[in-house]
Amino acid sequence: MPQIRPITDLRNTTEIAELCHAKDEPIFITKNGYGDLVIMSMETYEALTARPEPLQSEGMCFLTEKSPIWAGMLADVLQQHGVPFIRESSLGAGLAIKTGSFSETIRFFVPAVRFAEAKELVDELFTEAAAPAGNSDGCDSPM
């Protein structure tokens, strides 16, 4: 069962830290009865944000970088064609919230064995899009 604590409990940092480490799950902090914050140990955060192991073990190649609107369309097309991929925000979640989605771009990485197929799909979707600077084939810098 999730821990829900009022914001005033944050005054006792030692107790909250011990609770975070003991529970190995996020603790929800409320302010005036409404959800306000989520805190957790670094170990729990790393476990929640770790990439799936099967995709990490494959050689991943940078495919393209698109705005969130175009990224959604590209993700749909890649899924329809059965091409596995990883989406990564250029800003990170916290900075994207602060600056807004207009400054965010989404990077796509695909397995090296599916790169040619994925590149062809990108070229079909975005015929006027320029190739990414630097890597012409996208596989010079795997993740």
Side-chain angles (χ1 to χ4, degrees):
M1 177 148 205
Q3 284 284 321
I4 301 171
R5 306 291 290 261
I7 200 162
T8 55
D9 283 4
L10 293 181
R11 291 181 187 143
N12 189 345
T13 56
T14 304
E15 179 187 339
I16 291 293
E18 288 172 358
L19 186 60
C20 286
H21 289 286
K23 287 290 185 177
D24 290 330
E25 64 182 18
I27 297 174
F28 299 90
I29 305 296
T30 61
K31 183 176 182 181
N32 297 327
Y34 294 96
D36 188 43
L37 301 170
V38 176
I39 59 173
M40 64 188 81
S41 68
M42 290 185 71
E43 293 84 7
T44 302
Y45 174 78
E46 288 170 357
L48 289 174
T49 59
R51 288 199 177 90
E53 224 19 72
L55 289 177
Q56 276 185 339
S57 62
E58 297 179 31
M60 299 298 283
C61 297
F62 174 77
L63 176 63
T64 190
E65 187 169 18
K66 296 292 176 193
S67 68
I69 293 172
W70 296 115
M73 184 176 72
L74 177 57
D76 288 344
V77 170
L78 290 172
Q79 285 176 343
Q80 289 170 5
H81 286 86
V83 177
F85 61 92
I86 293 175
R87 291 166 43 151
E88 218 176 60
S89 171
S90 61
L91 299 177
L95 194 54
I97 290 170
K98 284 258 188 222
T99 63
S101 62
F102 294 112
S103 59
E104 181 182 26
T105 57
I106 309 297
R107 297 180 187 130
F108 283 82
F109 297 87
V110 296
V113 295
R114 303 290 298 268
F115 179 78
E117 177 186 359
K119 181 73 171 137
E120 190 176 307
L121 291 169
V122 168
D123 291 343
E124 286 178 24
L125 285 172
F126 309 104
T127 54
E128 295 180 12
N135 303 338
S136 60
D137 68 355
C139 283
D140 293 338
S141 58
M143 284 182 54

